[in-house]
């Protein structure tokens, strides 16, 4: 455990000019006293790490010191080659750069680990697009990806409703969700963060200015918040449903996962038959009918009455259909 922590400490110091004891303690999930002891152990082992006091102080490595990749275990080396998504890199125009990087890493590995790229590729493959959808690369993706890497402002025109809108943006990050590319960007000159579907861009051009990123911006965290907010925003109606034990298990697979989680979290106690009653947020009554139909006889709509009648009429038609010759 300690050996792995010491290696991580060296790699952290290699990647930054200096780090305070508090920063290292947070990254390594230990106390500052442990950081001090670890720094001393590294120094005694020949790693040139030293501490400077004062406001601009912290832990540093003597300039130019680098550690090799010979400390990688097989599992770590194989995991390293899973970090790239070939299809996504190709669409962003980064396939050649990624290939060159993998070759350089492979060359630095111990001979016993040189087959790590092939071993990983034979065992794992990511196919991002959803089923029954032909993947299409947005025309503007390569330009946007280049701007993201270079922290370069862009002027983008995109379709909104029946017209087009133009914005000057600071492109922070790209997200590939179910085969669809999104740009998380900040409107220039201190505007808000927004999310754009790149396949709706009709034109993107570089601006001469580069932007300084907001310190602490967390792309995965931002995307998670936006995705959940979007899911909640389209759930504008409510239905009350009784669910059997099987219905409870199947609900997250039939409706929006956020809606299912909220509904089950506030469910009442089971009744005599073991069924629970939940209040479920849905996009609309027709959508609720389609989704809850998948639960069959494991769900009973209590309210609204209009949706209950819809299910009763559907049940009558099905019974008549299956009773026929």
């Amino acid at each position: 455990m300690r050996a792995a922590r010491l290696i991580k400490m060296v790699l952290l110091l290699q990647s930054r000019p200096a780090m305070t004891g508090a920063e290292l303690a947070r990254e390594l999930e230990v106390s500052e006293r442990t950081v001090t002891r670890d720094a001393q152990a590294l120094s005694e082992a020949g790693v040139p790490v030293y501490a400077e006091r004062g406001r601009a102080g912290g832990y540093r490595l003597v300039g130019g010191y680098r550690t090799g990749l010979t400390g990688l275990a097989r599992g770590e080396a194989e995991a390293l080659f899973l970090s790239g998504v070939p299809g996504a890199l190709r669409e962003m125009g980064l396939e050649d750069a990624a290939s060159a990087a993998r070759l350089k890493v492979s060359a630095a590995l111990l001979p016993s680990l040189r087959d790590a790229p092939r071993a990983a590729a034979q065992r794992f493959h990511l196919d991002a697009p959803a089923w029954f959808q032909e993947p299409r690369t947005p025309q503007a993706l390569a330009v946007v990806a280049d701007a993201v890497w270079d922290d370069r402002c862009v002027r983008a025109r995109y379709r909104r409703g029946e017209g087009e809108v133009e914005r000057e943006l600071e492109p922070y990050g790209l997200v590939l969700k179910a085969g669809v590319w999104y740009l998380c960007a900040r409107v220039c000159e201190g505007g808000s963060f927004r999310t754009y579907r790149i396949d709706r861009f009709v034109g993107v051009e570089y601006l001469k200015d580069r932007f300084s990123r907001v310190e602490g911006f967390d792309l995965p965290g931002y995307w998670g918040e936006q995705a959940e907010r979007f899911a909640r925003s389209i759930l504008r109606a409510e239905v009350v449903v009784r669910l059997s034990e099987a219905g409870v298990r199947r609900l997250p697979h039939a409706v929006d996962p956020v809606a299912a989680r909220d509904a089950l979290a506030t469910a009442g106690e089971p009744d005599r038959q073991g069924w629970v009653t939940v209040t479920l947020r849905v996009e609309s009554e027709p959508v609720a009918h389609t989704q809850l139909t998948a639960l069959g006889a494991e769900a009973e709509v209590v309210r609204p009455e209009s949706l209950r009648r819809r299910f009763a009429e559907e049940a009558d038609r099905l019974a008549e259909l299956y009773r026929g010759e």
Side-chain angles (χ1 to χ4, degrees):
M1 179 68 74
R2 191 188 185 199
R5 189 175 70 242
L6 292 175
I7 292 172
K8 184 176 180 180
M9 184 173 178
V10 173
L11 294 176
L12 285 169
L13 293 174
Q14 279 187 185
S15 65
R16 307 177 195 182
M19 294 184 70
T20 66
E23 290 172 336
L24 282 168
R26 185 168 57 251
E27 291 282 352
L28 299 172
E29 299 181 351
V30 295
S31 68
E32 292 189 44
R33 181 173 295 181
T34 299
V35 168
T36 301
R37 289 198 297 265
D38 286 352
Q40 184 177 354
L42 287 171
S43 181
E44 292 173 353
V47 177
V49 58
Y50 66 99
E52 287 186 342
R53 298 184 180 277
R55 291 185 60 186
Y59 291 90
R60 305 173 187 269
L61 291 173
V62 171
Y65 178 83
R66 308 293 294 176
T67 185
L69 292 175
T70 53
L72 284 176
R74 169 164 292 278
E76 295 169 332
E78 292 174 347
L80 178 65
F81 288 94
L82 289 174
S83 61
V85 184
L89 292 170
R90 183 172 57 252
E91 292 181 4
M92 289 189 291
L94 298 174
E95 185 177 25
D96 291 342
S99 177
R102 285 193 293 268
L103 287 173
K104 290 178 181 179
V105 173
S106 296
L109 292 173
L110 289 171
S112 61
L113 300 178
R114 296 282 168 81
D115 66 336
R118 185 173 60 86
Q122 288 176 340
R123 288 166 173 79
F124 300 98
H125 174 68
L126 175 62
D127 186 7
W131 286 104
F132 313 117
Q133 293 183 9
E134 183 177 348
R136 295 180 181 178
T137 304
Q139 193 170 15
L141 179 59
V143 176
V144 173
D146 188 55
V148 168
W149 280 111
D150 203 28
D151 291 343
R152 183 182 291 274
C153 297
V154 297
R155 180 180 292 111
R157 288 184 296 110
Y158 62 95
R159 296 187 301 275
R160 189 170 72 178
E162 299 296 325
E164 293 183 2
V165 177
E166 185 174 280
R167 290 279 188 275
E168 292 187 357
L169 303 173
E170 298 174 354
Y172 268 68
L174 293 169
V175 175
L176 178 60
K177 170 72 170 179
V180 179
W181 284 97
Y182 295 88
L183 171 66
C184 301
R186 188 185 187 201
V187 178
C188 286
E189 299 182 356
S192 59
F193 282 94
R194 301 182 183 181
T195 305
Y196 302 87
R197 276 186 61 145
I198 297 181
D199 57 7
R200 293 179 182 168
F201 284 1
V202 295
V204 179
E205 60 184 79
Y206 300 120
L207 298 178
K208 64 179 181 179
D209 297 329
R210 286 181 169 82
F211 65 92
S212 297
R213 289 175 170 262
V214 174
E215 187 175 353
F217 176 78
D218 175 22
L219 179 60
Y222 169 81
W223 174 258
E225 291 174 1
Q226 292 298 305
E228 184 159 334
R229 186 177 302 167
F230 171 75
R232 293 183 188 280
S233 70
I234 63 174
L235 304 176
R236 302 185 181 93
E238 285 186 352
V239 298
V240 178
V241 186
R242 289 181 69 239
L243 298 169
S244 67
E245 291 185 13
V248 169
R249 291 194 301 270
R250 290 163 51 183
L251 185 67
H253 305 287
V255 303
D256 180 86
V258 173
R261 185 177 68 232
D262 291 348
L264 295 175
T266 58
E269 293 296 322
D271 60 19
R272 294 179 181 177
Q273 289 78 36
W275 288 47
V276 297
T277 300
V278 301
T279 300
L280 179 70
R281 295 188 60 79
V282 295
E283 185 175 346
S284 65
E285 189 172 306
V287 171
H289 176 259
T290 300
Q291 293 175 331
L292 294 175
T293 296
L295 299 181
E298 306 302 329
E300 177 193 1
V301 172
V302 179
R303 291 191 302 273
E305 186 61 33
S306 55
L307 181 58
R308 185 177 174 86
R309 284 197 303 270
R310 187 190 291 254
F311 272 99
E313 292 167 0
E314 181 86 358
D316 287 342
R317 288 198 299 271
L318 284 171
E320 183 178 351
L321 177 65
Y322 284 99
R323 278 199 301 264
E325 294 181 3

